Amino acid sequence: QVQLVESGGGLVQPGGSLRLSCVARGITIDAYTMAWYRQAPGRQREFVADDTDGRNPDYADSVKGRFTISRDNAKSSVYLQMNSLKPEDTAVYYCKREALGAVGSTWGQGTQVTVSS
């Protein structure tokens, strides 16, 4: 059952920007930390950003200063604004609702981001 749906991926030139969206369907994101991860071919899935349930965002060093995570609880949505994109940002980007208490984490199915000239 798909409960987190990512969109907004695509092909962009180096230095360009993309805005990813993640919509929660049938589950709430209120009070949950939301996060973005990414996975490039042949590499392990890696942490990109999270919002610490909307209070204190954290970013991987590789994206700090370029990416911004945000949310709109009324729209059950989380966003990742990606600026100054680099070829090494190429990956499938996944939205994740982090575990809270006895409730386990939930992953989306991912959206492809390709940064290439």
Side-chain angles (χ1 to χ4, degrees):
Q1 184 177 7
V2 178
Q3 295 178 299
L4 296 175
V5 181
E6 302 95 334
S7 63
L11 176 64
V12 63
Q13 293 184 329
S17 298
L18 283 174
R19 188 183 190 229
L20 306 183
S21 297
C22 170
V23 179
R25 302 181 183 274
I27 61 172
T28 183
I29 67 171
D30 294 22
Y32 287 84
T33 293
M34 299 299 295
W36 290 93
Y37 289 73
R38 67 187 182 187
Q39 187 168 23
R43 301 188 66 177
Q44 293 186 332
R45 192 169 298 185
E46 65 178 356
F47 169 81
V48 175
D50 72 53
D51 67 5
T52 316
D53 63 276
R55 295 174 295 171
N56 300 109
D58 298 314
Y59 299 94
D61 287 344
S62 59
V63 308
K64 197 169 299 181
R66 300 188 297 120
F67 290 11
T68 303
I69 188 170
S70 62
R71 69 161 65 198
D72 186 340
N73 285 341
K75 296 181 178 180
S76 296
S77 296
V78 180
Y79 310 98
L80 185 68
Q81 179 67 46
M82 305 185 295
N83 299 325
S84 302
L85 283 161
K86 305 174 180 179
E88 52 262 44
D89 295 319
T90 296
V92 176
Y93 283 71
Y94 297 89
C95 178
K96 181 188 180 187
R97 190 183 76 172
E98 300 285 5
L100 179 64
V103 181
S105 60
T106 300
W107 291 88
Q109 292 184 313
T111 185
Q112 176 72 48
V113 172
T114 302
V115 184
S116 176
S117 59

